Amino acid sequence: MIASLQVVIFFVFYIAIFGLSLWALIDLLRRPATAFPQAGKRTKGFWGAIVGVATAVSFSVIPIPGVPHLPSFLALLAAVGAIVYLVDVKPAVTPYSGGRGRGPRGPSGPSGGW
């Protein structure tokens, strides 16, 4: 009973890490390459490699019965790569992304809401 509950909990964690990595990859692909140097961050190719590998690894770690998978500890490394992008790089490049995100004046310009 406890062992099967642990398997379910770990499976949910692996799916969550994969979802986090996929979210970071999709966000990165939507950003223009020029936004990264303007924000003082490494290039889009660098972060694309980090987040792309994190997404591939996090998918490969998901335990599917009968299918070989990578060692489980690699999921933590994948999570670190995605989290660093989402909490450090994404907020820095958002203002330089040409209309994506709120920007310094909010969603609808200087006059505010409606």
Side-chain angles (χ1 to χ4, degrees), residues 56-99:
V57 166
S58 65
F59 178 76
S60 299
V61 170
I62 297 172
I64 300 170
V67 177
H69 54 86
L70 293 176
S72 301
F73 75 91
L74 293 177
L76 295 175
L77 297 176
V80 168
I83 290 169
V84 167
Y85 173 79
L86 289 171
V87 301
D88 182 44
V89 179
K90 180 183 183 285
V93 299
T94 297
Y96 301 99
S97 295

